[in-house]
Amino acid sequence: MGKSKQDTKAADKGSGSKGGKGKGKGDDDKDTKSSKGAQSINVRHILCEKHSKKEEALAKLRDGAKFDEVAREFSEDKARQGGALGWKTKGSLDPQFEAVAYGLETSTTGNPKYGETKTGFGYHIIMVEGRK
């Protein structure tokens, strides 16, 4: 599969993906009240085909860079929107992506709490801006 630069389907369900969730900031369960019962989330991600590129993006985030700026520089999907996928309902995303995303606490691009996973599309760094 080739790169999908502006394809919102990158995290969508049915990718035939494999892999598990990784660890990152926000993988702790500090904010359990916000992760329970949400039926939709406002989510951003950084998608990289190669593990090494994902690690470069993570290094920038750890150094304090804003999530949307890192997404514009590194993401191979939705780069012009800073990785924004918008509001996604439960069941509409790739299962591995969704498991990580719904487990994250909400945060801002300036101080992101993020998680990682690998799907059939590549390596994702995920953050959630809101839930309802």
Side-chain angles (χ1 to χ4, degrees):
M1 173 169 72
K3 293 180 185 176
S4 66
K5 301 231 183 235
Q6 295 300 315
D7 185 5
T8 59
K9 294 179 185 169
D12 288 349
K13 189 177 183 178
S15 70
S17 62
K18 55 188 176 231
K21 57 181 166 173
K23 297 289 179 190
K25 281 184 184 178
D27 280 344
D28 52 50
D29 289 336
K30 288 181 191 169
D31 194 15
T32 53
K33 70 176 171 55
S34 67
S35 63
K36 296 207 186 303
Q39 293 304 305
S40 62
I41 54 173
N42 187 5
V43 64
R44 289 181 183 262
H45 79 150
I46 299 167
L47 173 66
C48 301
E49 261 185 38
K50 297 188 180 207
H51 184 266
S52 59
K53 190 170 180 183
K54 179 207 58 145
E55 290 298 318
E56 283 182 62
L58 281 172
K60 289 242 183 189
L61 289 171
R62 288 183 191 118
D63 288 343
K66 290 184 174 186
F67 193 93
D68 55 335
E69 291 171 1
V70 176
R72 283 186 195 95
E73 183 179 347
F74 287 91
S75 188
E76 296 165 7
D77 178 41
K78 304 296 283 175
R80 283 190 288 192
Q81 288 85 16
L85 294 174
W87 288 95
K88 297 292 182 180
T89 57
K90 226 175 213 182
S92 69
L93 298 167
D94 177 273
Q96 282 83 15
F97 187 100
E98 191 169 283
V100 173
Y102 275 89
L104 290 169
E105 62 182 290
T106 57
S107 61
T108 63
T109 58
N111 187 20
K113 308 286 186 201
Y114 50 86
E116 306 170 53
T117 192
K118 182 176 189 290
T119 70
F121 294 99
Y123 297 90
H124 302 265
I125 305 168
I126 306 163
M127 72 160 283
V128 174
E129 290 186 288
R131 54 182 80 242
K132 49 184 171 174

